[in-house]
Amino acid sequence: MTEEFLSGTTGNPWESAHLALVEEAVRKAAASEIMPRFRQLAVHEIAEKNGPHDLVTVADRSAEEHLTASLTALLPGSVVVGEEAVHADPTVCEALRGDAPVWIVDPVDGTRQFVHGDPGFCTLVALARHGEVLASWTYAPALDEMAVAVRGHGARLDGTEIRSGAPEPGQVLQVAMSHPDFTTRQEKAALLALRTEGVHSRPCGSAGLEYLAVARGELEAVAFSWESPWDHAAGLLLVEEAGGTDLTLTGERFRVTGGNALPFTAARDTATARLVRGLLASGADRETGERRSGRGQRP
């Protein structure tokens, strides 16, 4: 059913009307539920979930409801794993391991940017089955950019194929990463290892837009310390189909079903992914060694 949904009459998914229908659904959700509230939010329409850096707005909730209705109507028998639904009921994530096709949805990725009136936010949708991401849509409504990826058939930005390419030899690598302060001690040590010669690291913004920057060759890599599938599913497929790859701390590929060794990286090419993963691993190993010797213990 999922494969038929993605295939056009010629077997080429880019000729499938369903791809366009999903894109239309994403655009409609943003147009009706997100953009009318952009720079128009009232104080009572913003709330904290797990702290001051984890915000939710009426736009997040209403857009997810809109997408849940429209996407499941497009693909009967499918289910939705959305950020807000999982926050309300963590067992919703179990659908990722089931047999039904799953829409993985982040209605507003970069809510903090959205709240502050920054256009650097996006809506993320991915279609998966049995833990494999088959297609994804990354839409930045304030920037009017739509990136689509289909497994085995490449990635496109506003209809034009994109390729991540590889960094120039000797180039300083630009890496967006999780903020080290919101991590475990080992993850913090791993991320701080990216502050080294030949690498320029900075805090990440919207994960979806950082992945897009990697896919279009504007950013060498990302390094993230959390594994929420709605933040990563769409972007990881986008990077892979543009020619890049991803690696977890132990050198395995990232699994949207969870249980990944963190932090992980996604990069423009395999060589860069291996280099970044190596730095992360060295930082994590160094912290582990110091802790075992007692040097890493705090008074």
Side-chain angles (χ1 to χ4, degrees):
M1 176 172 57
T2 314
E3 291 73 16
E4 293 175 358
F5 180 85
L6 290 174
S7 297
T9 56
T10 64
N12 182 351
W14 293 112
E15 297 178 7
S16 170
H18 290 113
L19 281 184
L21 289 174
V22 176
E23 179 176 332
E24 181 182 5
V26 174
R27 289 182 182 275
K28 282 185 175 179
S32 63
E33 309 297 344
I34 299 173
M35 291 310 293
R37 297 178 169 100
F38 182 46
R39 297 173 178 164
Q40 303 294 325
L41 286 169
V43 174
H44 71 274
E45 295 178 318
I46 308 167
E48 293 183 8
K49 289 195 288 188
N50 299 309
H53 299 284
D54 187 11
L55 303 176
V56 63
T57 73
V58 63
D60 295 76
R61 294 183 175 124
S62 58
E64 184 166 308
E65 291 171 0
H66 189 291
L67 285 166
T68 297
S70 60
L71 294 174
T72 53
L74 284 176
L75 182 54
S78 62
V79 297
V80 172
V81 171
E83 178 177 9
E84 307 315 324
V86 173
H87 179 70
D89 179 7
T91 65
V92 169
C93 250
E94 294 174 6
L96 291 169
R97 299 179 180 86
D99 291 329
V102 181
W103 299 100
I104 306 173
V105 173
D106 190 342
V108 182
D109 178 65
T111 299
R112 188 168 45 126
Q113 286 80 3
F114 178 73
V115 166
H116 290 116
D118 185 326
F121 62 91
C122 60
T123 297
L124 301 174
V125 172
L127 178 60
R129 192 169 191 188
H130 299 142
E132 181 180 43
V133 182
L134 303 174
S136 75
W137 295 258
T138 299
Y139 180 47
L143 304 173
D144 193 27
E145 293 183 334
M146 173 69 78
V148 182
V150 180
R151 181 163 297 283
H153 294 273
R156 298 185 181 187
L157 175 62
D158 296 328
T160 300
E161 183 181 15
I162 54 175
R163 299 293 297 174
S164 56
E168 294 292 331
Q171 175 182 333
V172 174
L173 302 180
Q174 305 295 320
V175 182
M177 68 179 190
S178 305
H179 198 296
D181 288 350
F182 307 114
T183 60
T184 67
R185 286 178 59 183
Q186 185 182 50
E187 291 166 357
K188 181 175 182 176
L191 292 168
L192 291 179
L194 297 179
R195 295 179 179 175
T196 187
E197 184 178 356
V199 178
H200 177 264
S201 59
R202 61 166 175 77
C204 67
S206 154
L209 294 186
E210 301 289 18
Y211 280 119
L212 176 56
V214 174
R216 65 204 298 187
E218 296 176 350
L219 181 69
E220 272 63 67
V222 293
F224 294 132
S225 58
W226 77 95
E227 58 179 358
S228 304
W230 45 85
D231 285 322
H232 305 301
L236 286 170
L237 182 64
L238 186 65
V239 168
E240 181 178 353
E241 289 300 319
T245 193
D246 60 87
L247 293 172
T248 65
L249 194 65
T250 53
E252 300 170 300
R253 299 295 299 278
F254 184 92
R255 298 182 299 272
V256 295
T257 51
N260 297 285
L262 302 172
F264 73 96
T265 184
R268 291 175 61 181
D269 65 332
T270 300
T272 303
R274 288 174 175 167
L275 188 154
V276 173
R277 189 213 72 83
L279 290 171
L280 293 172
S282 67
D285 290 345
R286 185 162 53 249
E287 195 280 334
T288 299
E290 290 178 354
R291 188 170 66 249
R292 287 174 177 169
S293 68
R295 287 179 294 159
Q297 294 179 356
R298 295 178 181 177

